């Protein structure tokens, strides 16, 4: 099954994608993660996109679709894909269809994580990740089990990171970008009857369960 997790910044896409990877051996394709890796490695793409990302604006469609296309080349057909943070524009949605067709794949389901905008700033400004394994945490909603000293549940690392763009100003821009450019791609998938809406305001475990239900319902097709 190939699915898209669609929702504004902080909706829980990364959190839920990680769980699907663990449970089903699917592969998470996050353009945000790919771009951050490029910034860190100071590749030509990374140098080009750093300021755009920090401001919370969207990187060009060509850059992100090329990242996705490159990534798909090495992936066996049998591995299910989770698109996280891509597509984010109408052009990207069309490019994705083309890229998938080249690999004899298609989108089986688009899962919309519906969340109140008011909750997103709190989610994002409280977000941090393990510097070693990338596991995601939250100051209020998901602290590691061991907090004194703070220690990663998954790998035991004591080092954590916050994203440069997880500040209120950038978040506001990212939400505006989502409203203007990303939310309008929903009708494109609704017309194909591919969208399932999940309550992203529920507890993390409940959201996971709702997503599992969608996968059970549509996975056998
Ligand atoms: P979040 O998890 O908050 O939704 P992401 O990690 O997906 O954020 O993306 C971080 C930043 O990377 C975005 O604000 C944008 O600058 C860039 N980016 C990621 N994916 C895309 C995409 N598909 N199209 C354009 N820009 C993107
Ligand atoms: P996205 O990838 O959509 O930007 P994340 O998965 O990174 O979002 O989640 C943003 C922050 O909110 C993280 O710190 C995460 O731990 C937290 N979070 C995710 N899902 C929930 C939820 N259902 N309830 C409360 N906090 C959540
Ligand atoms: Zn870790």
């Amino acid at each position: 099954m190939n699915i898209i997790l669609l929702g504004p910044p902080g909706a829980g896409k990364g959190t839920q994608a990680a769980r699907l990877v663990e449970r089903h051996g699917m592969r998470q394709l996050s353009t945000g993660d790919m771009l951050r890796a490029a910034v860190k490695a100071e590749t030509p793409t990374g140098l080009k996109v750093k300021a755009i990302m920090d401001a919370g604006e969207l990187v060009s469609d060509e850059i992100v679709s090329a990242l996705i296309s490159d990534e798909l080349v090495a992936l066996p057909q049998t591995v299910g894909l989770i698109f996280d943070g891509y597509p984010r524009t109408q052009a990207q949605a069309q490019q994705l269809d083309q890229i998938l067709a080249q690999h004899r794949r298609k989108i089986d389901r688009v899962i919309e994580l519906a969340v109140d905008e008011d909750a997103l700033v709190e989610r994002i400004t409280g977000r941090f990740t393990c510097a070693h394994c990338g596991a995601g945490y939250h100051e209020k909603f998901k602290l590691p089990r061991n907090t004194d000293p703070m220690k990663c549940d998954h790998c035991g690392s004591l080092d954590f990171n916050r994203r440069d763009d997880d500040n209120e100003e950038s978040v506001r821009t990212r939400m505006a970008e989502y409203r203007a450019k990303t939310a309008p791609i929903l009708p494109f998938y609704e017309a194909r009857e591919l969208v399932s809406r999940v309550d992203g305001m529920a507890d993390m475990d409940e959201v996971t369960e709702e997503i599992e239900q969608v996968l059970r319902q549509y996975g056998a097709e």
Side-chain angles (χ1 to χ4, degrees), residues 126-139:
R127 163 162 77 181
F128 60 96
T129 53
C130 171
H132 181 67
C133 75
Y137 295 98
H138 192 279
E139 280 169 5

Side-chain angles (χ1 to χ4, degrees), residues 12-185:
K13 303 179 296 291
T15 301
Q16 298 301 329
R19 293 176 174 201
L20 295 176
V21 167
E22 209 166 279
R23 289 177 176 211
H24 301 290
M26 296 173 81
R27 175 67 179 263
Q28 176 185 8
L29 297 174
S30 158
T31 41
D33 287 348
M34 293 174 202
L35 290 167
R36 278 185 290 280
V39 169
K40 200 170 167 197
E42 299 185 342
T43 67
T45 299
L47 295 172
K48 199 147 78 181
V49 300
K50 166 101 174 88
I52 300 172
M53 291 176 73
D54 285 345
E57 289 159 17
L58 291 185
V59 168
S60 80
D61 296 329
E62 288 66 34
I63 288 178
V64 288
S65 289
L67 289 172
I68 289 288
S69 182
D70 289 350
E71 203 73 15
L72 273 186
V73 173
L75 282 176
Q77 187 98 40
T78 47
V79 177
L81 308 177
I82 308 160
F83 292 94
D84 159 11
Y86 177 91
R88 261 176 154 94
T89 64
Q90 191 76 43
Q92 290 176 27
Q94 276 155 3
Q95 285 156 1
L96 177 59
D97 276 348
Q98 285 168 11
I99 294 166
L100 288 175
Q102 283 163 10
H103 295 275
R104 291 193 194 76
R105 289 178 180 267
K106 63 176 171 54
I107 292 299
D108 298 296
R109 209 69 203 154
V110 176
I111 298 178
E112 181 196 0
L113 289 174
V115 276
D116 301 341
E117 278 209 6
D118 299 343
L120 297 177
V121 172
E122 185 183 28
R123 279 202 191 172
I124 288 190
T125 51
R127 163 162 77 181
F128 60 96
T129 53
C130 171
H132 181 67
C133 75
Y137 295 98
H138 192 279
E139 280 169 5
K140 189 163 154 194
F141 305 121
K142 193 179 189 294
L143 280 168
R145 280 190 294 274
N146 200 334
T147 52
D148 189 24
M150 191 120 74
K151 202 163 131 187
C152 176
D153 295 343
H154 299 271
C155 75
S157 167
L158 302 173
D159 293 327
F160 296 89
N161 284 335
R162 277 176 193 271
R163 278 167 49 174
D164 290 342
D165 60 343
D166 278 352
N167 57 73
E168 182 153 355
E169 197 189 341
S170 162
V171 172
R172 299 270 176 213
T173 305
R174 278 145 67 196
M175 290 198 296
E177 290 278 61
Y178 180 82
R179 250 181 274 123
K181 297 173 186 163
T182 308
I185 69 180

